[in-house]
């Protein structure tokens, strides 16, 4: 398999502040990365598709200005939750497809965000 | 319309027995891939097995096998010889449009099945 890391694994922040979550593919290059959100006891909901060197594609209902995604290199994508509110508290998981290996998709360990 | 349907919210199985987790899907794209992931309580998503729509044989990975019935649009996961460590949430997922446009490579998940393995 391949390894995807996320940092931080958990974060607590105050309402109104911004939080950045990093997603790295450690042993492969990923042209495409994805950001998912998961509420307790629910499935994963895709938030956006991040392509290296271009703007992210957001799913319907996801605020682009609130969830800023940057895919600056083939091994790093970041998600910034701007002006966080308690309703943004959730489990955020990134995922990556190794370049040229569409039959595979690997997930990071997730970041638990709590906004107080 | 729901793309991926997992009708079993929870399943129980005894250790060492086999269990089948159901998954049906809906797509008009001839090129797609089906994935199964395991999510233990720690939250990480662990890739288990993959089946491509054009694959001639059912996928197998160790104790995991995928019962792929294309005409019925089902891709059930079979876990043989269950172990206590298999207790987790299991998600079926589909990616459409494997060829070409990256924008269609997003993975869509079912609602999951919680598997509990008892001693």
């Amino acid at each position: 398999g391949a390894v995807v890391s996320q940092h931080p694994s958990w974060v607590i922040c105050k309402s109104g502040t911004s939080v950045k979550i990093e997603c790295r593919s450690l042993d492969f290059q990923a042209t495409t990365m994805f950001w998912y959100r998961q509420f307790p006891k629910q499935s994963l909901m895709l938030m956006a598709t991040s392509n290296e060197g271009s703007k992210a594609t957001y799913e319907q209902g996801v605020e682009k200005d609130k969830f800023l995604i940057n895919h600056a290199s083939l091994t790093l994508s970041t998600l910034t939750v701007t002006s966080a509110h308690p309703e943004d508290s959730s489990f955020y998981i990134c995922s990556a497809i190794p370049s040229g290996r569409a039959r595979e998709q690997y997930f990071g360990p997730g970041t638990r965000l709590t906004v107080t | 319309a729901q793309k991926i349907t997992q009708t079993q919210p929870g399943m129980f199985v005894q250790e060492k027995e086999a269990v089948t987790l159901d998954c049906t899907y809906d797509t008009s794209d001839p090129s797609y891939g089906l994935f199964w992931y395991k999510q233990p309580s720690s939250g990480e998503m662990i890739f288990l097995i993959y089946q491509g729509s054009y694959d001639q044989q059912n996928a197998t990975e160790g104790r995991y096998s995928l019962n792929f019935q294309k005409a019925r649009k089902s891709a059930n996961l079979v876990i043989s010889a269950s172990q206590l460590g298999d207790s987790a949430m299991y998600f079926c997922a589909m990616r459409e449009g494997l060829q070409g446009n990256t924008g269609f490579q997003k993975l869509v998940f079912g609602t999951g099945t919680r598997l509990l393995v008892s001693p």
Side-chain angles (χ1 to χ4, degrees), chain B residues 85-104:
Chain B
D86 293 336
S87 294
M89 279 291 287
Y90 287 80
F91 290 98
C92 179
M94 177 174 66
R95 187 194 299 154
E96 296 172 287
L98 290 183
Q99 296 168 5
N101 194 336
T102 302
F104 292 99

Side-chain angles (χ1 to χ4, degrees), chain A residues 32 34 36 38 41-44 46 49 51 59 91 93 95 97 101-110, chain B residues 35 37 39 42-45 47 50-52 55 91 95 98 102-103 105-112 114:
Chain A
T32 305
F34 304 88
Y36 289 83
Q38 186 179 31
K41 299 188 188 302
Q42 292 189 23
S43 187
L44 280 72
L46 180 66
T49 302
N51 292 303
E59 294 300 299
F91 192 56
I93 311 176
S95 180
I97 300 176
R101 288 151 60 183
R103 296 169 68 96
E104 303 168 40
Q105 185 160 341
Y106 299 98
F107 284 78
Chain B
F35 298 72
Y37 287 88
Q39 188 179 40
S42 60
E44 60 183 313
M45 295 289 285
F47 168 72
Y50 171 87
Q51 180 83 45
D55 292 347
F91 290 98
R95 187 194 299 154
L98 290 183
T102 302
Q105 287 187 5
K106 58 185 180 182
L107 203 57
V108 177
F109 285 84
T111 51
R114 182 167 296 282

Side-chain angles (χ1 to χ4, degrees), chain A residues 32-110:
Chain A
T32 305
M33 290 185 171
F34 304 88
W35 286 95
Y36 289 83
R37 184 174 182 177
Q38 186 179 31
F39 291 105
K41 299 188 188 302
Q42 292 189 23
S43 187
L44 280 72
M45 287 180 49
L46 180 66
M47 298 174 66
T49 302
S50 166
N51 292 303
E52 186 264 339
S54 63
K55 289 185 178 180
T57 303
Y58 290 82
E59 294 300 299
Q60 195 171 9
V62 178
E63 298 176 60
K64 301 178 184 182
D65 295 332
K66 182 164 191 62
F67 299 101
L68 300 179
I69 291 171
N70 187 321
H71 192 154
S73 76
L74 287 172
T75 58
L76 173 65
S77 177
T78 60
L79 169 68
T80 302
V81 183
T82 62
S83 186
H85 289 99
E87 57 266 29
D88 298 325
S89 298
S90 190
F91 192 56
Y92 293 87
I93 311 176
C94 74
S95 180
I97 300 176
S99 297
R101 288 151 60 183
R103 296 169 68 96
E104 303 168 40
Q105 185 160 341
Y106 299 98
F107 284 78

